[in-house]
Amino acid sequence: MIRRNGMGVRIVTSVAAYGAVMLFCAGLAATLPFLTEAGQALIRLGGTLAVPGLIVCVFLARSWASVGLPITALAAGGAVLLVMAG
Amino acid sequence: MKDGISDNGQRRARLVDLHSWLGLLSCWVLFVAFFCGTLALYDAEITEWMQPEIHLTDMQAPTESALAAVTQRLHAAETHGGALPFLILPNARAPAMRLVHYDGHSFQGPVLDPTDGHEILARATEGGLFFFDFHYTLRLGQIPGAACVALAGFGFLILLLSGLLIHLRRLLPDLFKLRIKAPRPRFWLDAHVMTGVFGLPFHLILTVTGIILLGDLALPMRAPPAPAPQAAPNGPATPAIPLGRLIHTAEAVPGAGRARYVLFAPGVTTVYTEHAGALAEDSTALRLNSQTGALLPTAPAGGADRAASLIYGLHMVRPVGPVLRLVWFIGGSIGTLLIASGLLYYEARSSRRALDRRRTAAMARGNVAIIAGLMLACLAYFWLNRLLPAHWAGRAQAEVSGFFLAWLATVLFTALRPMPCVPARLWCWPLRLCGATSLTLGLYDALRFWPGRHDLSMPVFITVDVALMVIGTGILLAQHHRARRANGTLSAT
């Protein structure tokens, strides 16, 4: 259970959440070769809204599964997209 | 059931911890960004106020002779091989023409009269653009300045969300409760909740769009593909045909709007047009052959471009009318008050609960240094604009240096002063000085510049000077009231 851990773990997880969103946005932008600066701004809009939501979820979560899985999935998805884009 | 209650309590406690610690870490940067960003909404007006030598009695489009004078200056710059300036055309907010270049922080260059193009010998200053630059770079460049502001922006979004969740149950009952005579922590908490909820749409809009504007630092991505090279004719940057004709050709394009800026490049003159009153920052760039005046093909704006223009426009609010600008200014001011009241609540609560005394003292000193220090620094910037010799070459830099020196002086005064029994007493002298400098600046300016002035900038002068006098008087009265309360608290203990 995540609640047994102190704030330190949650802070580290929050940083990981920010990194995962960053990775996913970068991956998404990289796989769309036609994306202009304006298109990137729209992806950033999604990322900007996702980061605080995810971090607050980290502080509300009771179990690792409820936050760890989405964060890992986001990071993995971003990494796959980046690899696909070369 | 019992578990459920304790779990909810734990969750709330974690959210409170997140809100407090993140607030402590990011609020000083956020206060600077919000305070200066709100001032920057009126950057053109502040610049006009800081250049009282500009006396224009009529708002008019530049004449042919004025644009011919611009062309001559451009030709001279091109011949000497310097950086090519660009032309800012007059509009309702700034009736003078400016031929400027970007110096890394602001736009500098001669101010020109739109009737005949002669140079108005206005004092050199960064004007309101200083606040614009400072609010997102902290004068420290992209890294660390803008990166720091971008991270603080993310912090603010998290603070908004966690704050909403913390107060969710009592949000409506507490919304209209501002208990002025309550103990300080309660008063500041009421003010914090009230400003947070009432200004919520603005807090969200300004922060989200601000982060997107700093997107390269907040959420870095691969550089977008360079647009296909557009056929550009070679030739000198100085237009061979009258500049007025080029501007007229651009404005005649259906849906283009009114010309605002003109950029010069070898063979190509780009006229940026905008629709006055529009919320979106949809300036259309129209490229013209500077030798023949023919319109060059430009890629049409797609849906994503229009959406991004709206996002940028919601943050910058450049072409909007005076009412919408005032609404944004009020929204920005509420954001500034939200942050300040949060900081003051934390300080008052720590002081009242007699928590770790060193932490309380550090918090109180930091608040005075940032909140009062920034206000004093801005007033020093304005005072120096009035006191330094008008045509001294180094005055623009001296004004900026004065801003930072005044701030540093406040920081040192606050840090080195022995901690009083009541931490609130730390505010006395900085606030008194703020009130006095603001009030005297407004009075000085009214006596010095109002008599005999009948030009377009008169409303700006009246507004700024009256605002300075009102703010100064308000701060002095509030400080007087605060000092009485602090003395009362001390005698009660």
Side-chain angles (χ1 to χ4, degrees):
Chain A
M1 298 289 270
I2 201 170
R3 67 178 162 177
R4 286 187 189 153
N5 299 311
M7 292 293 279
V9 177
R10 290 181 195 276
I11 290 167
V12 173
T13 315
S14 302
V15 176
Y18 175 42
V21 174
M22 200 191 283
L23 201 61
F24 188 77
C25 289
L28 198 62
T31 42
L32 304 172
F34 50 86
L35 205 64
T36 59
E37 203 175 322
Q40 289 196 352
L42 295 184
I43 291 181
R44 282 190 179 116
L45 176 64
T48 305
L49 295 173
V51 169
L54 210 50
I55 291 177
V56 169
C57 285
V58 168
F59 278 79
L60 287 175
R62 286 184 66 192
S63 67
W64 279 112
S66 57
V67 285
L69 282 179
I71 291 171
T72 314
L74 263 180
V80 169
L81 287 174
L82 276 176
V83 170
M84 274 169 58
Chain B
M1 187 72 179
K2 201 175 173 183
D3 275 348
I5 292 168
S6 78
D7 201 50
N8 279 343
Q10 276 190 9
R11 282 182 176 177
R12 193 172 185 280
R14 283 199 298 265
L15 279 180
V16 170
D17 278 349
L18 172 69
H19 196 79
S20 307
W21 281 103
L22 196 58
L24 283 176
L25 284 174
S26 60
C27 267
W28 288 340
V29 174
L30 285 171
F31 181 80
V32 173
F34 264 82
F35 185 88
C36 293
T38 305
L39 283 179
L41 286 170
Y42 286 105
D43 56 352
E45 288 78 4
I46 292 174
T47 306
E48 199 177 346
W49 181 82
M50 291 178 81
Q51 292 187 315
E53 291 80 12
I54 301 174
H55 290 280
L56 295 173
T57 48
D58 292 316
M59 171 62 220
Q60 67 164 73
T63 59
E64 284 297 334
S65 60
L67 290 172
V70 170
T71 312
Q72 277 177 10
R73 284 176 175 274
L74 193 66
H75 181 67
E78 195 176 7
T79 312
H80 289 105
L84 285 172
F86 71 95
L87 177 67
I88 302 177
L89 293 163
N91 68 359
R93 292 179 64 205
M97 258 190 332
R98 290 170 194 268
L99 194 61
V100 296
H101 64 272
Y102 185 59
D103 70 353
H105 292 295
S106 71
F107 299 105
Q108 296 291 331
V111 184
L112 306 173
D113 191 328
T115 51
D116 55 7
H118 83 267
E119 183 176 349
I120 302 169
L121 292 173
R123 57 189 70 193
T125 177
E126 290 196 12
L129 283 175
F130 169 74
F131 297 110
F132 178 75
D133 177 58
F134 189 61
H135 99 280
Y136 78 98
T137 65
L138 308 175
R139 210 73 179 181
L140 294 171
Q142 288 288 305
I143 294 174
C148 195
V149 174
L151 284 179
F154 270 127
F156 191 62
L157 282 182
I158 298 165
L159 288 170
L160 280 181
L161 197 54
S162 57
L164 264 179
L165 291 173
I166 290 168
H167 290 284
L168 204 56
R169 270 195 199 164
R170 301 221 15 106
L171 206 60
L172 280 179
D174 283 351
L175 188 55
F176 300 100
K177 256 188 208 166
L178 183 64
R179 285 159 280 193
I180 295 171
K181 292 191 174 172
R184 281 179 62 234
R186 169 52 61 189
F187 166 72
W188 286 122
L189 184 61
D190 285 349
H192 189 60
V193 172
M194 194 181 243
T195 48
V197 179
F198 277 128
L200 191 60
F202 288 100
H203 307 326
L204 281 173
I205 289 173
L206 294 174
T207 316
V208 170
T209 53
I211 292 173
I212 294 168
L213 280 166
L214 295 174
D216 288 340
L217 299 158
L219 291 169
M221 291 175 191
R222 194 170 67 177
Q230 293 170 317
N234 287 321
T238 310
I241 57 172
L243 192 51
R245 216 176 91 194
L246 291 176
I247 293 171
H248 183 70
T249 309
E251 286 180 334
V253 172
R258 193 169 175 185
R260 187 72 194 97
Y261 308 97
V262 187
L263 263 65
F264 305 97
V268 180
T269 301
T270 311
V271 180
Y272 285 84
T273 61
E274 68 180 17
H275 296 276
L279 191 54
E281 185 97 340
D282 60 345
S283 57
T284 313
L286 295 151
R287 300 166 70 246
L288 297 118
N289 186 320
S290 48
Q291 306 305 308
T292 64
L295 210 56
L296 299 170
T298 311
D305 294 302
R306 281 195 290 275
S309 301
L310 183 63
I311 291 172
Y312 298 148
L314 283 170
H315 193 86
M316 307 272 210
V317 288
R318 272 194 189 130
V320 300
V323 176
L324 211 52
R325 185 175 304 282
L326 182 65
V327 171
W328 248 250
F329 182 81
I330 293 169
S333 305
I334 292 175
T336 313
L337 288 176
L338 166 74
I339 298 162
S341 57
L343 286 168
L344 292 170
Y345 164 67
Y346 191 83
E347 180 195 323
R349 195 191 64 167
S350 312
S351 169
R352 199 171 174 83
R353 285 188 183 174
L355 292 177
D356 179 5
R357 202 169 152 71
R358 279 169 63 185
R359 198 174 79 187
T360 309
M363 186 70 201
R365 287 183 201 279
N367 283 349
V368 177
I370 297 296
I371 298 174
L374 180 59
M375 289 196 287
L376 267 175
C378 292
L379 287 163
Y381 179 66
F382 292 144
W383 258 118
L384 281 172
N385 176 265
R386 292 301 190 239
L387 294 181
L388 291 174
H391 301 298
W392 175 38
R395 71 183 321 285
Q397 186 52 47
E399 284 174 10
V400 175
S401 304
F403 173 91
F404 288 109
L405 285 175
W407 202 349
L408 182 67
T410 318
V411 171
L412 290 177
F413 171 79
T414 317
L416 299 177
R417 198 184 157 190
M419 193 67 192
C421 306
V422 181
R425 281 192 174 175
L426 269 179
W427 289 88
C428 289
W429 282 107
L431 282 188
R432 277 182 191 148
L433 200 56
C434 266
T437 45
S438 181
L439 181 62
T440 48
L441 177 58
L443 285 171
Y444 166 82
D445 216 56
L447 294 172
R448 171 88 172 75
F449 293 109
W450 287 15
R453 195 177 185 98
H454 304 288
D455 57 15
L456 288 171
S457 58
M458 193 56 196
V460 171
F461 272 75
I462 292 175
T463 311
V464 175
D465 296 338
V466 170
L468 283 169
M469 286 186 246
V470 170
I471 291 168
T473 312
I475 291 175
L476 286 175
L477 288 175
Q479 171 48 31
H480 179 67
H481 178 69
R482 191 188 172 94
R484 276 180 54 193
R485 285 192 73 174
N487 286 338
T489 312
L490 190 61
S491 57
T493 54

